[in-house]
Amino acid sequence: MKIKQISAANMSEALAIIKSELGADAAIISSEKKADGTILVMAAVDEDTDLSFEIEDKPEEVSTKPIFELQKLRECLDYHGVLDVVKDKILATARDIERQFPLKDEGEILTQTLSKLYAYSDILDMRHPVKLFMGTSGSGKSTAIAKTATQAKFQKISCCIISTDNVRAGANKQLEAFAKILETDFYFCPEEKALLQKVKEAKERYGLVLIDTPGINPFIDKEVLKVENFCRQIKGQFILTMDSGRNTIEAVEIAEIFAEIGAKYLLPTRLDLTRRIGTVLSVAACCDMSFCAASVSSSIANGLSAIDAKSLSRLVLSAA
Ligand SMILES: Nc1nc2c(ncn2[C@@H]2O[C@H](COP(=O)(O)OP(=O)(O)OP(=O)(O)O)[C@@H](O)[C@H]2O)c(=O)[nH]1
Ligand SMILES: [Mg+2]
């Protein structure tokens, strides 16, 4: 409040001064006639302090939506042992999606996140009629091939298996036996240079050509070269089979070596034997690999399982 004392010859002069100095809203608080005939007037006016809230003055709205979902997702990713760099990427993307669609639940947000960050395809994607499986020894190559051949049979897709595995004689016998049961033609082609011709002939006869390669130790250059030489012969879909239960850092290092020789698709195996999928998520993200299927049992008859953002999201959140 602004208060002013005014001395004037008379009341009308005082009112004029008050109006000009304090404005029309000023109110007279007191007046007194002095001995000399002049008057002393006290007037006051409220200063322009508008205490009402305009829209823009309102304090920023604080969301009352609990932020526990993101924290919960972080805890789930920690449980699964996802590498930090991948975990940060998933959380940042989930946060962005949550901002865009604040009403969605965490399952939907994670599904959208994983569909943005990873690519998915079908094992019987016929844009790739030639599929070569590679991986470390015992990673599930032959089992995945037998399962793919089973699915092809159900879909009435003509299919053959070519084994290049001259390392383990027993392994070929086993795959050949599966092929026989499935009534799928089986060829053995241990010579790198012969593979191109073999695949060319097979493509003319079959809708699908599945190639098995020897299981290798990726830390031994000579062994990597063996599979690399087969890869160089042909064009096709190069699939890495990876045991989902492997140590994550080791698995990423191994996958990087296979990626260098052409693996672009990841087929996680033994998912039935692990509760944590940090290895699977980390390998695909670090090595830029697409998911093409997953193996969740040793039984050939069960076939491979399709893998997509929704199923991955469910597996991640099952840790909660
Ligand atoms: N529980 C389970 N066992 C699996 C799965 N996939 C493969 N196996 C088993 O793992 C073992 C190795 O599988 P293979 O398919 O022979 O592996 P590979 O990569 O061909 O092995 P090599 O040819 O020796 O390099 C076998 O006993 C399979 O039955 C799976 O998804 N779940
Ligand atoms: Mg094998």
Side-chain angles (χ1 to χ4, degrees), residues 177-219:
F178 280 132
K180 206 166 178 183
I181 294 165
L182 293 168
E183 296 170 330
T184 298
D185 290 337
F186 179 87
Y187 302 96
F188 182 46
C189 181
E191 279 301 314
E192 295 145 8
K193 292 202 174 83
L195 187 62
L196 175 65
Q197 185 57 29
K198 194 88 212 156
V199 169
K200 216 171 140 190
E201 286 165 15
K203 269 177 77 178
E204 283 165 15
R205 287 188 61 192
Y206 307 93
L208 193 60
V209 181
L210 305 173
I211 303 169
D212 200 4
T213 58
I216 56 162
N217 178 343
F219 302 117

mmCIF file of all heavy atoms in Angstrom, residues 177-219:
data_model
loop_
_atom_site.group_PDB
_atom_site.id
_atom_site.type_symbol
_atom_site.label_atom_id
_atom_site.label_comp_id
_atom_site.label_asym_id
_atom_site.label_seq_id
_atom_site.Cartn_x
_atom_site.Cartn_y
_atom_site.Cartn_z
ATOM 1 N N ALA A 177 20.735 -88.574 -39.654
ATOM 2 C CA ALA A 177 19.655 -89.433 -39.138
ATOM 3 C C ALA A 177 18.365 -88.617 -38.988
ATOM 4 O O ALA A 177 17.276 -89.086 -39.350
ATOM 5 C CB ALA A 177 20.070 -90.026 -37.793
ATOM 6 N N PHE A 178 18.499 -87.389 -38.489
ATOM 7 C CA PHE A 178 17.315 -86.518 -38.373
ATOM 8 C C PHE A 178 16.702 -86.256 -39.748
ATOM 9 O O PHE A 178 15.500 -86.309 -39.935
ATOM 10 C CB PHE A 178 17.684 -85.174 -37.749
ATOM 11 C CG PHE A 178 17.822 -85.209 -36.257
ATOM 12 C CD1 PHE A 178 18.931 -84.647 -35.633
ATOM 13 C CD2 PHE A 178 16.824 -85.800 -35.477
ATOM 14 C CE1 PHE A 178 19.057 -84.681 -34.261
ATOM 15 C CE2 PHE A 178 16.950 -85.825 -34.089
ATOM 16 C CZ PHE A 178 18.072 -85.267 -33.475
ATOM 17 N N ALA A 179 17.601 -85.962 -40.705
ATOM 18 C CA ALA A 179 17.139 -85.645 -42.061
ATOM 19 C C ALA A 179 16.343 -86.826 -42.626
ATOM 20 O O ALA A 179 15.309 -86.636 -43.278
ATOM 21 C CB ALA A 179 18.333 -85.314 -42.951
ATOM 22 N N LYS A 180 16.840 -88.027 -42.327
ATOM 23 C CA LYS A 180 16.171 -89.233 -42.820
ATOM 24 C C LYS A 180 14.759 -89.336 -42.230
ATOM 25 O O LYS A 180 13.791 -89.590 -42.956
ATOM 26 C CB LYS A 180 17.006 -90.461 -42.426
ATOM 27 C CG LYS A 180 16.816 -91.621 -43.338
ATOM 28 C CD LYS A 180 17.891 -92.640 -43.100
ATOM 29 C CE LYS A 180 17.624 -93.827 -44.018
ATOM 30 N NZ LYS A 180 18.562 -94.876 -43.800
ATOM 31 N N ILE A 181 14.678 -89.115 -40.921
ATOM 32 C CA ILE A 181 13.362 -89.190 -40.255
ATOM 33 C C ILE A 181 12.406 -88.164 -40.883
ATOM 34 O O ILE A 181 11.229 -88.420 -41.097
ATOM 35 C CB ILE A 181 13.511 -88.931 -38.732
ATOM 36 C CG1 ILE A 181 14.305 -90.066 -38.094
ATOM 37 C CG2 ILE A 181 12.156 -88.770 -38.053
ATOM 38 C CD1 ILE A 181 14.815 -89.768 -36.693
ATOM 39 N N LEU A 182 12.960 -86.981 -41.174
ATOM 40 C CA LEU A 182 12.118 -85.899 -41.726
ATOM 41 C C LEU A 182 11.917 -86.035 -43.242
ATOM 42 O O LEU A 182 11.255 -85.188 -43.847
ATOM 43 C CB LEU A 182 12.779 -84.536 -41.452
ATOM 44 C CG LEU A 182 12.856 -84.102 -40.000
ATOM 45 C CD1 LEU A 182 13.773 -82.895 -39.845
ATOM 46 C CD2 LEU A 182 11.464 -83.762 -39.489
ATOM 47 N N GLU A 183 12.519 -87.066 -43.808
ATOM 48 C CA GLU A 183 12.498 -87.255 -45.278
ATOM 49 C C GLU A 183 12.999 -85.998 -45.984
ATOM 50 O O GLU A 183 12.402 -85.496 -46.938
ATOM 51 C CB GLU A 183 11.082 -87.616 -45.744
ATOM 52 C CG GLU A 183 10.631 -88.957 -45.181
ATOM 53 C CD GLU A 183 9.156 -89.235 -45.425
ATOM 54 O OE1 GLU A 183 8.381 -88.262 -45.482
ATOM 55 O OE2 GLU A 183 8.799 -90.406 -45.554
ATOM 56 N N THR A 184 14.097 -85.496 -45.435
ATOM 57 C CA THR A 184 14.723 -84.298 -46.011
ATOM 58 C C THR A 184 16.067 -84.720 -46.602
ATOM 59 O O THR A 184 16.830 -85.451 -45.953
ATOM 60 C CB THR A 184 14.951 -83.238 -44.896
ATOM 61 O OG1 THR A 184 13.689 -82.876 -44.368
ATOM 62 C CG2 THR A 184 15.660 -82.003 -45.415
ATOM 63 N N ASP A 185 16.351 -84.281 -47.820
ATOM 64 C CA ASP A 185 17.615 -84.689 -48.451
ATOM 65 C C ASP A 185 18.797 -84.076 -47.701
ATOM 66 O O ASP A 185 18.770 -82.917 -47.296
ATOM 67 C CB ASP A 185 17.630 -84.252 -49.919
ATOM 68 C CG ASP A 185 16.635 -85.073 -50.735
ATOM 69 O OD1 ASP A 185 16.296 -86.187 -50.292
ATOM 70 O OD2 ASP A 185 16.168 -84.584 -51.790
ATOM 71 N N PHE A 186 19.832 -84.917 -47.579
ATOM 72 C CA PHE A 186 21.010 -84.508 -46.814
ATOM 73 C C PHE A 186 22.254 -84.628 -47.704
ATOM 74 O O PHE A 186 22.453 -85.623 -48.369
ATOM 75 C CB PHE A 186 21.162 -85.430 -45.592
ATOM 76 C CG PHE A 186 22.352 -85.115 -44.736
ATOM 77 C CD1 PHE A 186 22.272 -84.164 -43.726
ATOM 78 C CD2 PHE A 186 23.574 -85.763 -44.943
ATOM 79 C CE1 PHE A 186 23.375 -83.861 -42.926
ATOM 80 C CE2 PHE A 186 24.682 -85.467 -44.149
ATOM 81 C CZ PHE A 186 24.571 -84.521 -43.144
ATOM 82 N N TYR A 187 23.077 -83.588 -47.725
ATOM 83 C CA TYR A 187 24.318 -83.614 -48.511
ATOM 84 C C TYR A 187 25.485 -83.263 -47.608
ATOM 85 O O TYR A 187 25.344 -82.477 -46.669
ATOM 86 C CB TYR A 187 24.245 -82.598 -49.664
ATOM 87 C CG TYR A 187 23.081 -82.829 -50.586
ATOM 88 C CD1 TYR A 187 21.892 -82.114 -50.412
ATOM 89 C CD2 TYR A 187 23.144 -83.766 -51.615
ATOM 90 C CE1 TYR A 187 20.803 -82.324 -51.243
ATOM 91 C CE2 TYR A 187 22.058 -83.985 -52.448
ATOM 92 C CZ TYR A 187 20.891 -83.264 -52.259
ATOM 93 O OH TYR A 187 19.823 -83.482 -53.063
ATOM 94 N N PHE A 188 26.628 -83.827 -47.950
ATOM 95 C CA PHE A 188 27.833 -83.538 -47.182
ATOM 96 C C PHE A 188 28.804 -82.815 -48.097
ATOM 97 O O PHE A 188 29.121 -83.301 -49.189
ATOM 98 C CB PHE A 188 28.428 -84.872 -46.678
ATOM 99 C CG PHE A 188 29.649 -84.708 -45.832
ATOM 100 C CD1 PHE A 188 29.706 -83.758 -44.813
ATOM 101 C CD2 PHE A 188 30.767 -85.517 -46.040
ATOM 102 C CE1 PHE A 188 30.840 -83.618 -44.023
ATOM 103 C CE2 PHE A 188 31.911 -85.387 -45.257
ATOM 104 C CZ PHE A 188 31.936 -84.424 -44.250
ATOM 105 N N CYS A 189 29.254 -81.644 -47.707
ATOM 106 C CA CYS A 189 30.132 -80.861 -48.579
ATOM 107 C C CYS A 189 31.245 -80.211 -47.739
ATOM 108 O O CYS A 189 31.168 -79.039 -47.379
ATOM 109 C CB CYS A 189 29.295 -79.783 -49.298
ATOM 110 S SG CYS A 189 30.271 -78.781 -50.431
ATOM 111 N N PRO A 190 32.268 -81.004 -47.413
ATOM 112 C CA PRO A 190 33.314 -80.461 -46.536
ATOM 113 C C PRO A 190 34.287 -79.523 -47.246
ATOM 114 O O PRO A 190 35.044 -78.803 -46.598
ATOM 115 C CB PRO A 190 34.035 -81.724 -46.048
ATOM 116 C CG PRO A 190 33.813 -82.723 -47.133
ATOM 117 C CD PRO A 190 32.521 -82.400 -47.795
ATOM 118 N N GLU A 191 34.243 -79.527 -48.585
ATOM 119 C CA GLU A 191 35.186 -78.698 -49.362
ATOM 120 C C GLU A 191 34.615 -77.299 -49.564
ATOM 121 O O GLU A 191 33.551 -77.141 -50.160
ATOM 122 C CB GLU A 191 35.429 -79.337 -50.738
ATOM 123 C CG GLU A 191 36.426 -80.466 -50.732
ATOM 124 C CD GLU A 191 37.790 -80.021 -50.233
ATOM 125 O OE1 GLU A 191 38.259 -78.955 -50.683
ATOM 126 O OE2 GLU A 191 38.353 -80.718 -49.361
ATOM 127 N N GLU A 192 35.356 -76.305 -49.103
ATOM 128 C CA GLU A 192 34.867 -74.919 -49.209
ATOM 129 C C GLU A 192 34.528 -74.544 -50.652
ATOM 130 O O GLU A 192 33.480 -73.978 -50.935
ATOM 131 C CB GLU A 192 35.929 -73.944 -48.686
ATOM 132 C CG GLU A 192 36.198 -74.124 -47.208
ATOM 133 C CD GLU A 192 37.649 -73.880 -46.840
ATOM 134 O OE1 GLU A 192 38.422 -73.420 -47.714
ATOM 135 O OE2 GLU A 192 38.001 -74.138 -45.674
ATOM 136 N N LYS A 193 35.459 -74.898 -51.543
ATOM 137 C CA LYS A 193 35.283 -74.453 -52.940
ATOM 138 C C LYS A 193 34.103 -75.132 -53.640
ATOM 139 O O LYS A 193 33.561 -74.606 -54.608
ATOM 140 C CB LYS A 193 36.578 -74.694 -53.728
ATOM 141 C CG LYS A 193 37.683 -73.785 -53.238
ATOM 142 C CD LYS A 193 38.775 -73.602 -54.273
ATOM 143 C CE LYS A 193 39.773 -72.572 -53.817
ATOM 144 N NZ LYS A 193 40.789 -73.145 -52.896
ATOM 145 N N ALA A 194 33.711 -76.290 -53.130
ATOM 146 C CA ALA A 194 32.602 -77.016 -53.767
ATOM 147 C C ALA A 194 31.243 -76.478 -53.305
ATOM 148 O O ALA A 194 30.209 -76.795 -53.897
ATOM 149 C CB ALA A 194 32.714 -78.511 -53.441
ATOM 150 N N LEU A 195 31.250 -75.672 -52.264
ATOM 151 C CA LEU A 195 29.975 -75.262 -51.663
ATOM 152 C C LEU A 195 29.135 -74.395 -52.611
ATOM 153 O O LEU A 195 27.916 -74.576 -52.710
ATOM 154 C CB LEU A 195 30.219 -74.518 -50.333
ATOM 155 C CG LEU A 195 28.948 -74.192 -49.550
ATOM 156 C CD1 LEU A 195 28.197 -75.457 -49.126
ATOM 157 C CD2 LEU A 195 29.248 -73.348 -48.311
ATOM 158 N N LEU A 196 29.803 -73.495 -53.323
ATOM 159 C CA LEU A 196 29.055 -72.594 -54.226
ATOM 160 C C LEU A 196 28.217 -73.408 -55.216
ATOM 161 O O LEU A 196 27.020 -73.167 -55.380
ATOM 162 C CB LEU A 196 30.027 -71.653 -54.959
ATOM 163 C CG LEU A 196 29.375 -70.761 -56.001
ATOM 164 C CD1 LEU A 196 28.403 -69.786 -55.355
ATOM 165 C CD2 LEU A 196 30.445 -69.977 -56.780
ATOM 166 N N GLN A 197 28.877 -74.399 -55.853
ATOM 167 C CA GLN A 197 28.186 -75.224 -56.847
ATOM 168 C C GLN A 197 27.068 -76.039 -56.201
ATOM 169 O O GLN A 197 25.961 -76.138 -56.734
ATOM 170 C CB GLN A 197 29.230 -76.142 -57.533
ATOM 171 C CG GLN A 197 28.694 -76.973 -58.673
ATOM 172 C CD GLN A 197 28.045 -76.125 -59.783
ATOM 173 O OE1 GLN A 197 28.417 -74.961 -60.004
ATOM 174 N NE2 GLN A 197 27.067 -76.700 -60.467
ATOM 175 N N LYS A 198 27.376 -76.589 -55.032
ATOM 176 C CA LYS A 198 26.388 -77.422 -54.320
ATOM 177 C C LYS A 198 25.130 -76.591 -54.007
ATOM 178 O O LYS A 198 23.993 -77.043 -54.213
ATOM 179 C CB LYS A 198 27.026 -77.924 -53.010
ATOM 180 C CG LYS A 198 26.281 -79.002 -52.367
ATOM 181 C CD LYS A 198 26.732 -80.354 -52.903
ATOM 182 C CE LYS A 198 25.596 -81.330 -52.917
ATOM 183 N NZ LYS A 198 25.770 -82.409 -53.879
ATOM 184 N N VAL A 199 25.348 -75.361 -53.534
ATOM 185 C CA VAL A 199 24.216 -74.497 -53.164
ATOM 186 C C VAL A 199 23.442 -74.091 -54.418
ATOM 187 O O VAL A 199 22.202 -74.047 -54.416
ATOM 188 C CB VAL A 199 24.717 -73.246 -52.381
ATOM 189 C CG1 VAL A 199 23.607 -72.215 -52.219
ATOM 190 C CG2 VAL A 199 25.241 -73.669 -51.016
ATOM 191 N N LYS A 200 24.178 -73.837 -55.484
ATOM 192 C CA LYS A 200 23.529 -73.454 -56.749
ATOM 193 C C LYS A 200 22.578 -74.559 -57.214
ATOM 194 O O LYS A 200 21.409 -74.307 -57.539
ATOM 195 C CB LYS A 200 24.615 -73.227 -57.812
ATOM 196 C CG LYS A 200 24.297 -72.108 -58.762
ATOM 197 C CD LYS A 200 25.492 -71.816 -59.613
ATOM 198 C CE LYS A 200 25.036 -71.529 -61.031
ATOM 199 N NZ LYS A 200 26.132 -71.469 -61.972
ATOM 200 N N GLU A 201 23.073 -75.782 -57.166
ATOM 201 C CA GLU A 201 22.238 -76.930 -57.572
ATOM 202 C C GLU A 201 21.042 -77.089 -56.628
ATOM 203 O O GLU A 201 19.916 -77.305 -57.065
ATOM 204 C CB GLU A 201 23.060 -78.227 -57.534
ATOM 205 C CG GLU A 201 24.059 -78.349 -58.671
ATOM 206 C CD GLU A 201 25.103 -79.437 -58.409
ATOM 207 O OE1 GLU A 201 24.909 -80.282 -57.496
ATOM 208 O OE2 GLU A 201 26.118 -79.427 -59.114
ATOM 209 N N ALA A 202 21.335 -76.931 -55.326
ATOM 210 C CA ALA A 202 20.271 -77.132 -54.331
ATOM 211 C C ALA A 202 19.159 -76.090 -54.506
ATOM 212 O O ALA A 202 17.973 -76.404 -54.372
ATOM 213 C CB ALA A 202 20.866 -77.054 -52.925
ATOM 214 N N LYS A 203 19.565 -74.871 -54.825
ATOM 215 C CA LYS A 203 18.561 -73.797 -54.982
ATOM 216 C C LYS A 203 17.598 -74.092 -56.131
ATOM 217 O O LYS A 203 16.448 -73.679 -56.124
ATOM 218 C CB LYS A 203 19.264 -72.457 -55.215
ATOM 219 C CG LYS A 203 19.540 -71.714 -53.910
ATOM 220 C CD LYS A 203 20.297 -70.447 -54.121
ATOM 221 C CE LYS A 203 19.436 -69.336 -54.644
ATOM 222 N NZ LYS A 203 20.201 -68.092 -54.799
ATOM 223 N N GLU A 204 18.128 -74.818 -57.117
ATOM 224 C CA GLU A 204 17.253 -75.154 -58.253
ATOM 225 C C GLU A 204 16.232 -76.227 -57.882
ATOM 226 O O GLU A 204 15.141 -76.275 -58.421
ATOM 227 C CB GLU A 204 18.100 -75.628 -59.439
ATOM 228 C CG GLU A 204 18.747 -74.449 -60.147
ATOM 229 C CD GLU A 204 19.863 -74.876 -61.090
ATOM 230 O OE1 GLU A 204 19.952 -76.086 -61.421
ATOM 231 O OE2 GLU A 204 20.654 -73.999 -61.474
ATOM 232 N N ARG A 205 16.598 -77.050 -56.900
ATOM 233 C CA ARG A 205 15.712 -78.180 -56.551
ATOM 234 C C ARG A 205 14.825 -77.933 -55.334
ATOM 235 O O ARG A 205 13.768 -78.542 -55.204
ATOM 236 C CB ARG A 205 16.567 -79.435 -56.261
ATOM 237 C CG ARG A 205 17.160 -80.051 -57.498
ATOM 238 C CD ARG A 205 17.826 -81.375 -57.166
ATOM 239 N NE ARG A 205 16.902 -82.372 -56.628
ATOM 240 C CZ ARG A 205 17.286 -83.497 -56.063
ATOM 241 N NH1 ARG A 205 18.567 -83.771 -55.945
ATOM 242 N NH2 ARG A 205 16.405 -84.363 -55.610
ATOM 243 N N TYR A 206 15.305 -77.093 -54.430
ATOM 244 C CA TYR A 206 14.576 -76.943 -53.153
ATOM 245 C C TYR A 206 14.222 -75.476 -52.890
ATOM 246 O O TYR A 206 14.942 -74.558 -53.297
ATOM 247 C CB TYR A 206 15.442 -77.433 -51.978
ATOM 248 C CG TYR A 206 15.980 -78.832 -52.159
ATOM 249 C CD1 TYR A 206 17.247 -79.042 -52.722
ATOM 250 C CD2 TYR A 206 15.227 -79.942 -51.777
ATOM 251 C CE1 TYR A 206 17.750 -80.321 -52.896
ATOM 252 C CE2 TYR A 206 15.742 -81.233 -51.950
ATOM 253 C CZ TYR A 206 16.984 -81.414 -52.505
ATOM 254 O OH TYR A 206 17.466 -82.679 -52.679
ATOM 255 N N GLY A 207 13.131 -75.302 -52.121
ATOM 256 C CA GLY A 207 12.743 -73.941 -51.726
ATOM 257 C C GLY A 207 13.666 -73.399 -50.653
ATOM 258 O O GLY A 207 13.904 -72.193 -50.560
ATOM 259 N N LEU A 208 14.174 -74.329 -49.837
ATOM 260 C CA LEU A 208 14.976 -73.905 -48.684
ATOM 261 C C LEU A 208 16.259 -74.745 -48.603
ATOM 262 O O LEU A 208 16.205 -75.974 -48.707
ATOM 263 C CB LEU A 208 14.127 -74.141 -47.415
ATOM 264 C CG LEU A 208 14.583 -73.514 -46.112
ATOM 265 C CD1 LEU A 208 14.659 -71.994 -46.223
ATOM 266 C CD2 LEU A 208 13.606 -73.891 -44.998
ATOM 267 N N VAL A 209 17.389 -74.077 -48.418
ATOM 268 C CA VAL A 209 18.669 -74.774 -48.309
ATOM 269 C C VAL A 209 19.292 -74.411 -46.957
ATOM 270 O O VAL A 209 19.590 -73.239 -46.699
ATOM 271 C CB VAL A 209 19.630 -74.345 -49.462
ATOM 272 C CG1 VAL A 209 20.955 -75.091 -49.363
ATOM 273 C CG2 VAL A 209 18.975 -74.557 -50.828
ATOM 274 N N LEU A 210 19.450 -75.421 -46.113
ATOM 275 C CA LEU A 210 19.985 -75.169 -44.761
ATOM 276 C C LEU A 210 21.413 -75.702 -44.676
ATOM 277 O O LEU A 210 21.657 -76.874 -44.988
ATOM 278 C CB LEU A 210 19.107 -75.864 -43.713
ATOM 279 C CG LEU A 210 17.613 -75.501 -43.757
ATOM 280 C CD1 LEU A 210 16.810 -76.371 -42.778
ATOM 281 C CD2 LEU A 210 17.409 -74.024 -43.445
ATOM 282 N N ILE A 211 22.341 -74.853 -44.281
ATOM 283 C CA ILE A 211 23.758 -75.251 -44.266
ATOM 284 C C ILE A 211 24.281 -75.297 -42.835
ATOM 285 O O ILE A 211 24.174 -74.307 -42.090
ATOM 286 C CB ILE A 211 24.608 -74.258 -45.106
ATOM 287 C CG1 ILE A 211 24.056 -74.193 -46.527
ATOM 288 C CG2 ILE A 211 26.089 -74.663 -45.099
ATOM 289 C CD1 ILE A 211 24.632 -73.064 -47.359
ATOM 290 N N ASP A 212 24.837 -76.430 -42.468
ATOM 291 C CA ASP A 212 25.443 -76.587 -41.141
ATOM 292 C C ASP A 212 26.952 -76.362 -41.282
ATOM 293 O O ASP A 212 27.546 -76.722 -42.309
ATOM 294 C CB ASP A 212 25.178 -78.017 -40.623
ATOM 295 C CG ASP A 212 25.336 -78.115 -39.113
ATOM 296 O OD1 ASP A 212 25.576 -77.073 -38.466
ATOM 297 O OD2 ASP A 212 25.229 -79.238 -38.572
ATOM 298 N N THR A 213 27.554 -75.753 -40.275
ATOM 299 C CA THR A 213 29.007 -75.523 -40.334
ATOM 300 C C THR A 213 29.659 -76.142 -39.092
ATOM 301 O O THR A 213 28.967 -76.376 -38.094
ATOM 302 C CB THR A 213 29.350 -74.009 -40.373
ATOM 303 O OG1 THR A 213 28.798 -73.391 -39.211
ATOM 304 C CG2 THR A 213 28.804 -73.344 -41.615
ATOM 305 N N PRO A 214 30.970 -76.373 -39.136
ATOM 306 C CA PRO A 214 31.609 -76.976 -37.956
ATOM 307 C C PRO A 214 31.554 -76.025 -36.760
ATOM 308 O O PRO A 214 31.697 -74.807 -36.923
ATOM 309 C CB PRO A 214 33.062 -77.194 -38.396
ATOM 310 C CG PRO A 214 33.173 -76.740 -39.800
ATOM 311 C CD PRO A 214 31.892 -76.138 -40.240
ATOM 312 N N GLY A 215 31.369 -76.611 -35.589
ATOM 313 C CA GLY A 215 31.430 -75.798 -34.373
ATOM 314 C C GLY A 215 32.871 -75.364 -34.154
ATOM 315 O O GLY A 215 33.784 -76.180 -34.259
ATOM 316 N N ILE A 216 33.074 -74.089 -33.885
ATOM 317 C CA ILE A 216 34.465 -73.607 -33.786
ATOM 318 C C ILE A 216 34.724 -72.869 -32.480
ATOM 319 O O ILE A 216 33.801 -72.412 -31.817
ATOM 320 C CB ILE A 216 34.827 -72.652 -34.964
ATOM 321 C CG1 ILE A 216 33.841 -71.465 -35.019
ATOM 322 C CG2 ILE A 216 34.899 -73.411 -36.270
ATOM 323 C CD1 ILE A 216 34.356 -70.298 -35.820
ATOM 324 N N ASN A 217 36.023 -72.768 -32.184
ATOM 325 C CA ASN A 217 36.458 -71.875 -31.108
ATOM 326 C C ASN A 217 36.778 -70.531 -31.769
ATOM 327 O O ASN A 217 37.759 -70.420 -32.513
ATOM 328 C CB ASN A 217 37.705 -72.465 -30.436
ATOM 329 C CG ASN A 217 38.224 -71.549 -29.339
ATOM 330 O OD1 ASN A 217 37.866 -70.367 -29.280
ATOM 331 N ND2 ASN A 217 39.069 -72.081 -28.480
ATOM 332 N N PRO A 218 35.971 -69.499 -31.532
ATOM 333 C CA PRO A 218 36.150 -68.231 -32.253
ATOM 334 C C PRO A 218 37.436 -67.489 -31.874
ATOM 335 O O PRO A 218 37.806 -66.518 -32.534
ATOM 336 C CB PRO A 218 34.914 -67.418 -31.844
ATOM 337 C CG PRO A 218 34.453 -68.023 -30.579
ATOM 338 C CD PRO A 218 34.853 -69.457 -30.591
ATOM 339 N N PHE A 219 38.095 -67.967 -30.787
ATOM 340 C CA PHE A 219 39.337 -67.298 -30.396
ATOM 341 C C PHE A 219 40.548 -67.929 -31.091
ATOM 342 O O PHE A 219 41.681 -67.541 -30.856
ATOM 343 C CB PHE A 219 39.500 -67.327 -28.871
ATOM 344 C CG PHE A 219 38.335 -66.665 -28.160
ATOM 345 C CD1 PHE A 219 37.510 -67.377 -27.304
ATOM 346 C CD2 PHE A 219 38.050 -65.318 -28.388
ATOM 347 C CE1 PHE A 219 36.436 -66.767 -26.671
ATOM 348 C CE2 PHE A 219 36.970 -64.704 -27.762
ATOM 349 C CZ PHE A 219 36.164 -65.423 -26.909
#
